[in-house]
Amino acid sequence: MDHDEELMRGRVYGQDHDDPRRGPQQGRDYAELTGGPLDGLLLDITGWSPDRIRAGAALETGLGRYGTTGRSLYQPRPDAPDRFDWAGDTSA
């Protein structure tokens, strides 16, 4: 595992890597991102409705196929909505 991957493990998507509270917080709901450029990060889904969870997420990242202008697409697993699987990258 390289240094960048190590920094991302156990982190919540969208939190700064040097934030002292970068890990999951008590009382929040998270989905683990699996596969793709954000593998291993947690996505805070606190307050998301079941419909919103089923819709998945298009997450900004400079690590995907399209660099800083792209998004990585993640969809919840049908049998485990607390795990979102990578579905590809998009340029907008």
Side-chain angles (χ1 to χ4, degrees):
M1 176 181 323
D2 69 21
H3 181 67
D4 289 338
E5 287 181 63
E6 186 176 318
L7 283 173
M8 289 176 56
R9 299 280 175 212
R11 280 191 39 227
V12 176
Y13 171 81
Q15 289 182 334
D16 195 54
H17 73 275
D18 59 359
D19 184 336
R21 298 177 306 139
R22 69 176 175 248
Q25 302 296 307
Q26 188 173 25
R28 309 291 298 177
D29 296 317
Y30 298 94
E32 181 180 353
L33 302 176
T34 57
L38 302 175
D39 184 51
L41 289 179
L42 300 174
L43 178 64
D44 188 341
I45 58 171
T46 304
W48 288 26
S49 70
D51 286 340
R52 174 67 183 95
I53 290 171
R54 279 190 294 276
L59 305 172
E60 293 180 10
T61 180
L63 302 173
R65 179 177 180 187
Y66 299 100
T68 58
T69 63
R71 294 177 182 265
S72 288
L73 307 174
Y74 284 85
Q75 295 295 317
R77 288 187 187 173
D79 60 340
D82 62 337
R83 295 182 64 96
F84 280 34
D85 294 318
W86 181 60
D89 294 322
T90 185
S91 62

